[in-house]
Amino acid sequence: MEWLELVLVGMLLPVFPASVVFNAVIRWTPTGWGKAAAMILLPEVGVALLSSISSARVPLVHSRGWIVLVAFSALLYAFRAISVREISIWARLMATSGLGLVWIFEATHRGRDVMAVAVLAWSVPAALLLVLAGLLTERSGGAYLGLQGGLARVVPRISSLATLSALALVATPLFPSFFALLHVIGVLRLFWLWPLLLVLLVWGWSLGGFLQQLLFGSYSGERFPDLGTLATSSGAVVLSLLVVSAVVWSGAWIGI
Amino acid sequence: MDRDLTLGDRLKVRSMVYVASEPIPRFWPMRTFIHHNPLFGLEHLPFDRAVEQGTALFHGRGYLPRRAYQRYRAEGKVDDRALGRYVRAFVEREDPRLAGIDLEAWLWSVLVSADREEICPRSDWLDGSSLRDALDDRSPSSRPSPTEEQLAALLRERILPERMSRHRSVYSQLDLLFGTRLAATLDDLLIKSCLDFFDEGQSVWQAPGREHGFYRSWKEVARRNLRFLLHGRDLAAVLASDQEPEAMIAHTLVTLEVPESSWQDYILHELTHLHGWAGFIRFRSQAHHYYWAERYPADLTDFLAVRMVIGLTLVQEAARRHRCPGDSDAIAAFVAASPFEAYLRAELYGGSILAGWAQRADAAIGRSRRRELGGLAVDYIAAKRRDEAMRQAGILADLARSVGPEAEVGLRDLSERDLERLVEVLRTWESQEGYAWLRATEAHYIDDVIDRVRPSGSPRADRRPFAQAFFCIDVRSEPLRRHLEALGDYQTFGMAGFFGVPIGFLEYGNGSEQPLCPAIMSPKSLIVEIPADLVLEEEPLYGALSHVFQDLEHSVLAPFVAVEAVGLLFGLGLIGKTVWPVRYHRTYGRLHGKKPLTRLLVDKLTPEQADSLVRAVQRAMIVRALRSELGLGRHQITDADVRELREIALGNAAGPPSLTVQLGLSAEDEAVFVEKLRTVYRVDRHEASLQMERLGRLGFSLEEQVQYVHRALVSCGLVRNFSRFVLMVGHESLSRNNPYESALDCGAAGGGHGLPNARVICAMANKAEVRLRLRELGVVVPDDTWFVPGAHNTTTDEVTLHDLDLLPTRHLLYLERLQNGLAAATKRTAAERMATLETGQRHDREPGKAAAMALRRANDWSQVRPEWGLCRNLYAVVGGRHLTEGVDLEGRVFLLSYDHRLDPDGRFLENLLAAPVVVGEWINLEHYFSTVDVHRFGSGSKVYHNVAGRFGVMTGNQSDLRTGLPLQTLYRDGQPYHEPLRLISLVEAPLPFVLDVVGRLPKVKSLVMGGWIRVIVLDPDDGYKAFVLEEGEFVVHPRSGLTERSTVMEGVS
């Protein structure tokens, strides 16, 4: 029974192979707002479900094998994201990669309430990207990068928010994912540094491609409107709150 | 073709390369930047056709976007009547007969109110029926999906076009169909190879084997390239197939199954793809006495062979890895066999797919299921047809609305067929619209110049001017001349900045000869600069230290060893030149020591004098050798010792020299020393003979000097009433950290400084013998007239006079007044210029501050725009100053002084039209094309520039060599500051006379009749009527006061 519960949690707080379900749900949810909501809610539900399971009942998650699986899952999805050009798919895959690492909090006996906050480090920027992808699709027909390039000049506000959200996903300081990853590296043995650094490397590689296709090039397609002031400000506020909470929360957390 | 090409086959390949290279403009190294027309190779065509062809070849644009012209129109810079004329002419020509459509009104609306860049965007499926449905807001009528044959035909046009202008190479076809990045990878690898081979001293480590030529040396390195092997690129196997570049080119084309009938087009497009590098290699292979080309030869056949080999290897690798076709025939077969898949692929990887379908297409292509792809393609085509129709319908509806209610009704009532015709006509108009705007804008400026440039009413008083000054025709001279004339009794003239004296200049302290003349000329005579003071050889301390620091900078190991030790010293310089640039450079100059007083050797040497000079140099080298090699001071050796060593080194006597015997040197050491004298210090027979040959080029004979001075004075109309001072003012610029520094210098002096030319002609004109001969020719120069050379720094507007130590004593009394006048003119000019550079600040009341600001800009190494240079050049006036004196032409005019009354046979006018006006055309068109497409014809933003090999710049880490001018030179606040218009040349001379002269100059005639230069003739014999050349005919301009049409073309045979 615990195994079933674990698999269910694995679908919501995605770890390969159960992560397939998480990705399918996000993929098939209509509209960007819907996808964003699913992105935020599903992992929280997963953490809540995990909270209902006693640690003693699922010793597997505290084993070395589980950490290997989690690292593999993170690496797999990060690698998969490299060749993706569609913004919502990229956000989904990168979030899956990062959310998997949150399992290490459980593996290292960190409180599940901390986990509930840590998942936001990836789910919130991913949700923001999913919303932006939806808005871009509404305005231009799609959110597939690399067709035209040079969106930074055409829709600078969307591009700026997308860039910051993407940076937030790949553990860039001072976003929460950076501190979360810092904690993960801190609590694991030196041996585990290599796979985590590999994940970071692949994230950077993927981010480079994403930003290249988003920002650079010369745009020659049809013009379409950018975000309004209110929407842009809201996005900026969300990202700012992420940074502030990261600095405060992680500072408190690591004893600063 | 098999491995062994016959000589005929090899020549055939070479000739194809030669023909293909014709449209590619040569690119001079940036050390001597030469403005050139990017479409120079197409000047045999009329302007509009050349632009059409050139923009297709080089993938650039030939005119500004419509929005820019609309802005000009809003600013009153466009002649609406002219624009209307062109619209009417187009409508009459096309005559589409669309019922209910006032086409003229529609086209006018497109011109003045359309805010879209394209009124009729490219479409694959648009037809009258879908357009009608979209306009009527109906759901599209169902129609059968296109057949495979229809689709294949469309794809053949897009992917495998046969028309030259849209030709695609095999790898670009693969990129379009399979999303590979072969073209970009090929460019990267080729550029890197070019950087390695063509480096001119920037790299510390040089590529090996360069003396064998580009292709051979590259081949040897490429065979061993580990990166290629790691990527699985078996270059060695490809290279093993053929040895010679021509054979490799042929082999590649055969392997790629390119039909031989298409080879010429294929080669053309391969070469034009990196036209910067191709242009540089073309220059290099044709330049005379280009040091690097003589040492490391390369030509376009080598370049093409390297490109072909790399391309073939990449195609073979892609065929292995991605399982795509490996040659042209296989690609065509794939397109024919799977047209739906090919169409989807072309749409996706070509970037033209509808955004909402991209991910679906990407996923379907990844799954590679033929039926799925076919179904998806059918659905996609239907969606695309709808999208194209809706988009076009929206555009047409907006356009109709802007025209008026009748137009909306007319559009509603148009049949499907007429709708198609309307779109076709609009598309045709759009392809010609740019040229219409250009001519209409030029018409405005032609009106303007005819209004303003007229002979001044009051005759000039026959008073002797205080000073006369010859300036370069450069547009930057105009404000200075205007301000100087306004200040007092100054008379100015304009002539090409080399003053008609082409020289090779050997500057003191510089080992290489610099040609100071227009790029189209080759100087025969050499001028050497020698110090007037004899000083013992010593180097200021700071100069010696700076040599050490320079060596450190270029050493590969230095950063590891010396950075902590001397890094701080470099840091001081960094801070100094950033925070206090003027003070820093002044201090730097003082520490380096001033350049000594020098003289120029202007007179030709007799053979005896030349021989004596060679001997003197050899003696000096022997003395230096004795000091450096044997530690002997001058006091320890006698003239006889030196003479003896010289004879032995030249092989005229046998050793051992008595000196070495005295010193007790062994026979071996003595032989080594003598060998060093020959090889290192160049005291040998062959070198002596070369030096004699070179000295034979030194200077000018008396007759030549007389001719040059006579021509300079008479061609500008100064044959009497000479003032006390006649200044010959060359020009130069000053900027720091600027690869384009040479572009700001004198183009007439080959991108160098014009001061040496000024000094030469002044030295000639001050000679008594020359003046005596001039008197015989009718030009009487008074005894108290002194020619003074000067330099106009166009970045600071300072005018510095030189050779003042040669000034006659009595002239010193007036020198202060002259220098004050020049200083005042400098400040006024700076105030006028700074207002355009430092916008938003008042400078006219504080010229002193403006001059200080100009000086700071010139010394600031972070300044991307030290001056505007030749930006906004527009006019060339060939005539007397009386036409333009006092007229503010805003620094936009090349002013060439000319008096047709002193030129009965038209020789001077020939020279002016054949050289300065052609150079003006080059400058004008370089600015034109760099402005209309700053990223393709221009060189983009300076912010991303990196110097390549010391001869060019690239954008970013690696790119094509950037030809053209940078953004910061031409644009301000994101808008073009330079107005891209063709040069409007105004010639003051009788019309038949001008036609006769032009008829004698085939190149100039071709430029004029082809519309590369706009021409106005002000005929002084006909009441100063202005005749404007319009579409092959000279028309009397309405503002001349008469309306008759004059077709005086008989003189042009």
Side-chain angles (χ1 to χ4, degrees), chain B residues 270-289:
Chain B
E270 286 295 278
L271 289 179
T272 52
H273 192 75
L274 291 176
H275 65 91
W277 281 105
F280 174 65
I281 295 170
R282 194 174 169 223
F283 151 79
R284 205 177 172 278
S285 62
Q286 295 172 358
H288 300 299
H289 309 302

Side-chain angles (χ1 to χ4, degrees), chain B residues 586-650:
Chain B
R586 215 170 264 154
T587 311
Y588 185 91
R590 263 189 235 123
L591 285 173
H592 257 279
K594 273 178 75 169
K595 188 177 172 181
L597 217 54
T598 60
R599 296 283 177 266
L600 301 184
L601 281 174
V602 175
D603 296 320
K604 216 162 199 48
L605 298 174
T606 62
E608 293 77 27
Q609 286 170 326
D611 183 60
S612 173
L613 207 64
V614 170
R615 284 169 189 268
V617 168
Q618 287 171 338
R619 279 196 288 271
M621 296 311 288
I622 291 170
V623 168
R624 183 182 285 194
L626 285 168
R627 189 177 67 238
S628 304
E629 306 295 334
L630 301 178
L632 292 174
R634 186 65 185 89
H635 61 282
Q636 293 170 282
I637 42 183
T638 64
D639 283 351
D641 294 330
V642 172
R643 199 178 307 121
E644 189 187 6
L645 276 168
R646 180 176 170 271
E647 292 300 313
I648 293 171
L650 290 177

Side-chain angles (χ1 to χ4, degrees), chain A residues 3 80 85 87 151 159 162 194 204 206 208 210 252:
Chain A
W3 288 101
R80 176 72 184 84
R85 290 183 165 195
I87 295 178
L151 286 180
S159 305
W194 301 110
S206 183
F210 178 86

Side-chain angles (χ1 to χ4, degrees), chain A residues 117-132:
Chain A
V117 176
V119 296
L120 293 175
W122 279 279
S123 62
V124 169
L128 199 49
L129 267 178
L130 288 167
V131 168
L132 290 171

Side-chain angles (χ1 to χ4, degrees), chain A residues 80-91 93 136 142-148 209-210 213-214, chain B residues 179-181 348-351 358-359 362:
Chain A
R80 176 72 184 84
I82 290 172
S83 60
V84 161
R85 290 183 165 195
E86 224 280 344
I87 295 178
S88 57
I89 299 177
W90 190 86
L93 295 174
L136 205 53
Y144 188 91
L145 299 176
L147 284 180
Q148 293 284 350
F210 178 86
Q213 286 157 14
L214 172 70
Chain B
T180 50
R181 291 190 66 248
L348 177 66
Y349 299 124
Q359 178 59 32
D362 195 355

